[in-house]
Amino acid sequence: MEDEEINRLILSNILEKEFDVLTAANGQEALEIARREYNRLSLILLDLLMPVMDGYTFLEEVKKEPGIKGIPVIVLTSEREAEVQSLNMGAADFIAKPYDAPEIILARIARVIQLYEDKNIITATQYDALTGLYNKEFFLKYATLFDQYYPDDEKEIMVINVNRFHVINAMEGREYGDKVLAAIGKSIKEHVTESMGVACRYNADIFYVYGKNEGHEEKLMQTICDALKPLLEDADERIRIGVYSGMDIGVDLSRSLDHAMLVCNGISDKYHRKIVYYNAQIQEKEHLEEKLMHDLDRALSEKQFKVFYQPKYAVQGDKPTLSSAEALVRWMHPELGMISPGKFIPLFEQNGMIGKVDRFVWKEAARQIADWRKRFGVTIPLSVNVSRVDVLNEELAGELRTIVDEAGVDAKNYYLELTESAYVDDQSHIVTMAQKLREAGFSIEMDDFGTGYSSLNMLTSLPFDVLKLDMVFVRNIHNDSKAYRLVEFVMDVARFLGVKVIAEGVEYLEQYEILKKLGCDVIQGYYFSKPVCAEEFERFIKE
Ligand code: C2E
Ligand code: CA
Ligand code: CA
């Protein structure tokens, strides 16, 4: 046997333990095998010394063929110069003869195959299989490239969304839903091919389009709706486009995407317009919200939050008597002045920061009860608001209990206002939580009653002590017979359940008188007083 033949045998033996090996006697044959089996090959081992077609020619040929040029080639050689030349010609690596220990050879081969397969995975996942558009990672990459190609053009970003897409899935089946998405993908692709943009499916039914700011939105909308018409009759009602264009767009792409997404999400059924642009007003609101989030911790440590109190009067006696008060937070911002909770509570509820504010208010209210008792010799019960986010905290009852205990306040003089809409969120959880809170000694007021659409059936299964009629019912009670009858009905329900009723938002004498006549127990509203600071509130105690 010749040396070369022995070499090949050794190598085959090493390899066959781990891989499927196809052997070829010469370059020509190897090329033929490669053409036939290219999608099974992870690697070509090439001996430079071959009859018929030498190794270098083989390398050249391989690089010309689209199907096989990506397959890595490892060159087997005993000459140092040949190593360099073959690497220059596109070989991935070389193995020197005589051969090293089998483990070393196997390790080298495994590394090259791994690299090749990783790269293949990347090319395979560059596209979204359903629509043929880029996926989000590649979208970002190509959008950045786009910026480099067109540095001087103003760009825009569009977020496209199908309203209530899940309904299509649920009603027509996933397959149909996929057809809808594929049709949208196809029309977006057409659009970006023509307008030279970059597009992707971000996830589910959300698409991104990035390109020059040349006012393409209406046209894109039209293209998508035309493509969808055969599948979806109400296509032009359903497609929403949020647009962001601005000078800073390329500077921070993901931020720009957030802007476009924000406006897209904000397009409601009520809007006639389905294309909405991020504008100065939205930006201002966003900036304000960012500022408020940023300032929160500092505000807490610098005591910028103040608790105001709005009196509640028991009205069924000869004359109204102060029965309790609701604690309502205010933010005394050093730059922005007094900010009402309507501006920051919903924001902090969304991002979960509300707990910090609430805890401050809860402690402050407990301290206040004790302080007034000490100075005036009377206990004014206070109610505090418990946000729907707080209710998710399993330790809530214990925490509140600690707060009142530390202030030396009896839990029965500390009322918790839970908004009705939280009951609707997750019934079973809130029922358990409400039970725990009552067991800890607190009274529960169901706040904003009538706005959360809770069913009568639900009311009977819920533990609460007071029903707080929302001000929308009170507003028209003196001039709208329907509102009047509704309140009458609620009073009956409350009597049936054995709970008290508070009416809030009472502003006028007529409202007050009607509510009193209908049997409402407690009244809160501007009719008596706006929420005021603690010092001012003391006037009501003295009276
Ligand atoms: P809410 O709990 O329904 O509080 C009643 C709101 O109605 C208060 O607004 C009060 O100032 C206002 N109001 C009272 N009487 C009248 C009236 O006769 N006419 C009118 N038009 N309005 C009246 P405020 O203080 O701006 O609070 C708004 C909301 O912010 C509250 O609604 C509550 O949901 C939330 N909130 C306030 N303080 C806190 C707090 O410490 N924690 C939590 N989680 N939420 C709070
Ligand atoms: Ca309340
Ligand atoms: Ca309320």
Side-chain angles (χ1 to χ4, degrees), residues 3 10 59 64 88 133 136 151 154 158 180 198 205 211 218 235 265 285 294 310 317 323 350 398 411 423 448 452:
D3 280 2
I10 298 175
L59 267 178
K64 280 187 214 152
N88 281 339
L133 296 173
K136 60 185 169 204
E154 197 181 308
M158 293 185 258
V180 169
V198 184
D205 58 338
E218 304 278 351
N265 287 340
K285 182 164 176 268
H294 173 267
Q310 186 176 33
S323 68
Q350 257 171 44
Y423 284 89
D448 311 319

Side-chain angles (χ1 to χ4, degrees), residues 278-293:
Y278 187 85
N279 60 24
Q281 199 188 340
I282 297 169
Q283 183 168 32
E284 209 173 287
K285 182 164 176 268
E286 241 195 330
H287 284 174
L288 175 68
E289 293 187 345
E290 263 163 42
K291 181 162 176 54
L292 297 183
M293 285 192 278

Side-chain angles (χ1 to χ4, degrees), residues 326-328 383-385 417 447-448 468 504 524:
E326 176 174 5
L328 291 156
S383 65
V384 295
N385 288 284
E417 298 196 7
D447 201 357
D448 311 319
K468 223 178 154 184
E504 65 178 327
Q524 174 185 358

Side-chain angles (χ1 to χ4, degrees), residues 174-194:
R174 279 196 80 91
E175 220 170 287
Y176 198 86
D178 282 355
K179 267 194 205 159
V180 169
L181 295 177
I184 297 174
K186 190 157 169 261
S187 51
I188 290 180
K189 195 158 191 177
E190 264 166 42
H191 175 87
V192 292
T193 313
E194 206 177 295

Side-chain angles (χ1 to χ4, degrees), residues 310 326 329-330 341 345 358 361 385 447-448 471 505 507 526 531:
Q310 186 176 33
E326 176 174 5
V329 70
R330 302 287 179 262
I345 298 278
D358 279 344
V361 176
N385 288 284
D447 201 357
D448 311 319
M471 52 184 102
E507 298 183 357
Y526 296 173

